[in-house]
Amino acid sequence: HNTIHDTRYNTSILKAMPPLITFVARLSDGLPLVASFSQSHENLEIQKQQAKEILRNLNSNGRSVAKMSIETSQSKVFHYLIQQNTVYLTLTEQSYPKRLAFLYLEEIADVFLEYLHNQLSSSSKNNNNNNNNMNDVHQLIDTTARPYAFIQADPIIQRKQREFIDPKSTSNSNKLNQDLSDIHSIMRQNISQVLDRGEKLENVSQISSNLIDESKKFKWGAKKLNWWAKVNAYAPMAAMGLFVVVVLYIKFFL
């Protein structure tokens, strides 16, 4: 009997549980651009700090995957989505449908970029530059220096959070049924693995340097071994030749 359950058909057993934490941040350095928190009776301060650490560590090796789920404490899971130089991260209950969490992040990405687009379009210097407006949006993200510079987008994110509170709502059930993305290919890790990675990556340079030094020593040692191998191979022949020369010298000249 097949016991595999697809979240597209299991939403009827799930209670209402909104995305608890939402961050939008710059990928290159983890700078938070906006953060939004749903009303919850739980103390999520630890998870908020973990979210910031995840964002800081994401681009530390320059090869972050586009989507990932990260298990943490209190039966919670982080999900993040990377689009260009922007990271969209949320925290949900472990029982919240993974597919729906990533659909939520995709919609957050859409409304956030639309918010920035509208902000630029409303300024006089951009009224006649609509064709290049999206380039300006990404440039704005890249050049922003102040954390939470777009906190005014929080109400927009809050509205989107409310839309995703109930996984079994008609709207969300339809989204799940229409979505064809393969969530099984999304990498899943534990929070300790992700946060330890940042510390370990700091030592990569030193480790690489040590490996280079060791390889040089190995190379020099290999040369020495090769030289001694040749000595061992030809020494008996050289000794025999020298012995013959000495015998001939004694016989004919002494």
Side-chain angles (χ1 to χ4, degrees):
H1 178 69
N2 193 346
T3 58
I4 297 176
H5 301 286
D6 193 317
T7 54
R8 288 180 293 181
Y9 308 106
N10 274 351
T11 53
S12 60
I13 66 173
L14 297 168
K15 63 180 180 178
M17 43 187 153
L20 302 170
I21 295 174
T22 304
F23 274 91
V24 180
R26 187 165 59 204
L27 175 62
S28 58
D29 56 4
L31 180 76
L33 305 173
V34 60
S36 184
F37 312 110
S38 65
Q39 294 182 351
S40 173
H41 299 296
E42 294 184 86
N43 185 344
L44 298 175
E45 290 304 314
I46 292 177
Q47 284 80 4
K48 290 177 184 178
Q49 292 303 315
Q50 288 176 337
K52 294 175 183 177
E53 290 186 57
I54 291 171
L55 295 171
R56 283 195 295 266
N57 291 338
L58 265 183
N59 200 44
S60 55
N61 63 353
R63 295 182 298 176
S64 297
V65 296
K67 293 181 180 180
M68 182 181 285
S69 296
I70 304 167
E71 298 174 350
T72 185
S73 56
Q74 298 177 257
S75 299
K76 304 290 190 297
V77 181
F78 287 106
H79 308 278
Y80 76 73
L81 167 70
I82 296 176
Q83 290 185 356
Q84 295 196 358
N85 191 29
T86 310
V87 186
Y88 305 90
L89 180 143
T90 191
L91 176 76
T92 68
E93 298 286 350
Q94 199 168 47
S95 54
Y96 194 86
K98 182 177 180 180
R99 190 187 302 273
L100 192 61
F102 283 101
L103 288 174
Y104 167 73
L105 291 174
E106 289 175 6
E107 294 198 18
I108 289 297
D110 290 340
V111 297
F112 179 68
L113 293 177
E114 182 181 5
Y115 164 79
L116 295 183
H117 181 278
N118 292 337
Q119 292 293 306
L120 288 172
S121 297
S122 63
S123 63
S124 58
K125 65 179 181 179
N126 284 286
N127 279 339
N128 298 319
N129 195 26
N130 289 332
N131 291 335
N132 296 321
N133 197 256
M134 287 311 298
N135 290 333
D136 293 337
V137 165
H138 293 299
Q139 184 179 5
L140 179 61
I141 293 173
D142 290 340
T143 57
T144 295
R146 180 168 55 89
Y148 305 103
F150 309 113
I151 196 63
Q152 294 85 356
D154 180 30
I156 300 173
I157 296 176
Q158 291 279 353
R159 286 197 295 271
K160 190 59 66 175
Q161 282 179 341
R162 289 193 289 271
E163 292 178 20
F164 282 80
I165 283 180
D166 188 1
K168 67 183 189 325
S169 69
T170 301
S171 173
N172 288 329
S173 295
N174 289 337
K175 289 175 182 177
L176 287 171
N177 287 325
Q178 293 170 8
D179 180 54
L180 300 177
S181 62
D182 182 13
I183 62 169
H184 301 291
S185 64
I186 298 174
M187 187 179 295
R188 192 180 187 97
Q189 288 190 340
N190 185 275
I191 187 68
S192 59
Q193 293 174 290
V194 176
L195 297 188
D196 286 347
R197 183 177 65 179
E199 181 179 346
K200 291 175 182 177
L201 287 170
E202 292 176 0
N203 298 324
V204 167
S205 177
Q206 183 61 43
I207 292 172
S208 299
S209 178
N210 292 340
L211 286 174
I212 291 173
D213 291 341
E214 290 299 322
S215 67
K216 288 180 178 178
K217 292 178 182 178
F218 176 80
K219 187 175 181 180
W220 169 243
K223 288 182 177 179
K224 290 175 66 176
L225 287 173
N226 189 42
W227 185 81
W228 278 112
K230 291 181 178 179
V231 168
N232 291 333
Y234 296 109
M237 295 176 62
M240 182 62 68
L242 180 61
F243 176 75
V244 171
V245 169
V246 170
V247 171
L248 292 174
Y249 179 81
I250 293 173
K251 183 176 180 179
F252 293 103
F253 296 100
L254 293 181

